[in-house]
Amino acid sequence: MEKVDLLEFEDIFACHLDRYPKMQAEDIYKLLYQSAFGVGHFLKDKKVALDYLLREMESCDKGEKPKFEKIGNGFIRLNISRFSPCDASWIIEEMEKSCEIIGDKSDFFQMLEISKKVLKKRGFDSPLETLVKKAEELDLPPIHHSEIFRKLYHPAYRVLKFRKELEDKL
């Protein structure tokens, strides 16, 4: 796997802070986690994942969001509210291909340092370090978005590794 482009991640993280100004420490952690480790934690059973995706596509907020957002390390969040249930099969296929990418903890911690630097520059006092220390004790598990983030931004996406072949679908 290629190394994280730290300058690119700094820009991506700053854009996420601008787009989601009420991000909490959990949401930042989730962004770092997904950027470092991708989608592997989600796609254990393809049929269950497809059924869940279809249910979520039917019920998600259809607000104006970009079709995808870069999250760093070559991964994107594909906003499923911008796609129809007819697209669910190829989304699952792309998730499956994205599972082949194995991230590592060093990527996570490099992006954590960048995030702390950006937060400090912007004058934020985030409890991110406390959250990460707790997460380290549990071997960096995936977590959910904060309640605030869910209420304000209605996240409905799937994490995919961006590939040139995806451009036609986006």
Side-chain angles (χ1 to χ4, degrees):
M1 184 166 176
E2 68 255 14
K3 278 323 276 164
V4 176
D5 182 334
L6 297 177
L7 287 176
E8 179 192 41
F9 183 75
E10 185 172 350
D11 290 341
I12 288 169
F13 183 66
C15 287
H16 277 263
L17 287 175
D18 292 341
R19 185 174 290 134
Y20 307 110
K22 300 292 185 188
M23 284 177 76
Q24 304 296 300
E26 297 95 318
D27 308 306
I28 296 169
Y29 174 94
K30 188 170 184 77
L31 177 67
L32 298 173
Y33 183 91
Q34 291 173 335
S35 298
F37 303 112
V39 70
H41 69 283
F42 187 75
L43 193 62
K44 295 199 182 351
D45 181 322
K46 196 173 171 180
K47 180 169 177 9
V48 170
L50 179 62
D51 291 344
Y52 187 79
L53 174 61
L54 288 168
R55 282 193 310 277
E56 191 174 355
M57 288 176 119
E58 289 175 13
S59 65
C60 68
D61 177 28
K62 304 293 185 205
E64 286 301 310
K65 294 180 179 180
K67 282 192 168 185
F68 71 93
E69 300 170 280
K70 290 182 176 183
I71 60 171
N73 214 12
F75 288 103
I76 62 171
R77 285 178 174 168
L78 184 79
N79 288 312
I80 63 171
S81 64
R82 298 291 309 274
F83 295 88
S84 78
C86 297
D87 296 310
S89 291
W90 72 257
I91 292 171
I92 293 295
E93 286 173 24
E94 288 299 326
M95 287 175 66
E96 193 169 41
K97 289 173 186 166
S98 298
C99 284
E100 296 168 6
I101 313 297
I102 308 293
D104 68 46
K105 291 179 183 180
S106 68
D107 292 344
F108 178 92
F109 289 108
Q110 285 180 330
M111 290 183 285
L112 173 63
E113 290 308 311
I114 295 294
S115 301
K116 290 189 309 191
K117 184 174 97 174
V118 171
L119 289 167
K120 187 175 183 175
K121 258 194 245 182
R122 292 185 176 210
F124 288 113
D125 181 30
S126 171
L128 185 58
E129 284 193 53
T130 305
L131 177 64
V132 170
K133 283 180 184 167
K134 287 181 187 175
E136 280 182 282
E137 293 170 9
L138 300 171
D139 200 27
L140 298 177
I143 64 171
H144 296 288
H145 278 293
S146 68
E147 187 64 30
I148 290 170
F149 193 94
R150 287 193 303 268
K151 283 182 180 178
L152 291 175
Y153 306 119
H154 312 285
Y157 59 79
R158 292 298 179 271
V159 173
L160 305 176
K161 186 71 171 177
F162 184 80
R163 299 178 322 112
K164 188 85 171 134
E165 298 82 4
L166 264 179
E167 286 182 0
D168 293 339
K169 296 175 180 175
L170 302 175

